[in-house]
Amino acid sequence: MLPKKVEEILNVQIRKEDYSSQLYLSMASWAENKGFEGVSDWLFAQAEEERMHMLKLVKYINEREGKAVIPGIDTPPADFGDVAGMFEKVLAHEKYISGSINEIVSTCIAENDFTTQSFMQWFVTEQIEEEAGVRAILDKLNLLGKNNLYMFDRDIMSMRARGGAGQN
Ligand code: OFO
């Protein structure tokens, strides 16, 4: 049985993962409209990943005799300026999500829920990889320079093909 506080904070996280998925979907669509095929593919895949994270939480709560609450859809922004600025936003969002995951782990410890604490370890590791992946993309963008976006777009495509940069 899940402690009430843990059930509540996991349900808050379901909403955040759902929003992450919508946010990356919106970014993917924005990038696709601008002709960035590699960037949009990366973001479409990332949106799927986030949905998978949400489902993982839904199933876990229900398995532990809690009640997962499926949230309504919050509308994400539709315009992201330029590609570099957009990836800065992805990194800031992932840092925010990492903070939420840490908060859940603290709640588990305070509530002596070591089962959920161990379940959350997967998310802790995932966040380290995701943040590192987005940082690698920003480094590449800086190296290539903002005038070489075509190259960058091709490059991010091959990063995906190799299963790198947060795509796991
Ligand atoms: Fe971006 O990762 Fe979910 O948790």
Side-chain angles (χ1 to χ4, degrees), residues 7 12 14 32 34 52 64 73 75 79 87 104 117-119 129 163:
E7 182 179 343
V12 170
I14 285 179
E32 191 168 56
K34 300 231 174 269
M52 193 270 283
R64 296 280 318 278
I73 298 175
T75 308
D79 206 345
F87 276 110
I104 297 174
Q117 186 193 350
S118 143
F119 166 77
E129 286 172 10

Side-chain angles (χ1 to χ4, degrees), residues 13 17 24 46 50 53 94 97 101 123 126-127 130:
Q13 192 63 26
E17 299 290 346
Y24 297 152
Q46 197 59 37
E50 299 301 348
H53 297 168
E94 288 304 326
I97 293 291
I101 301 290
F123 285 86
E126 177 74 3
Q127 282 311 118
E130 287 197 343

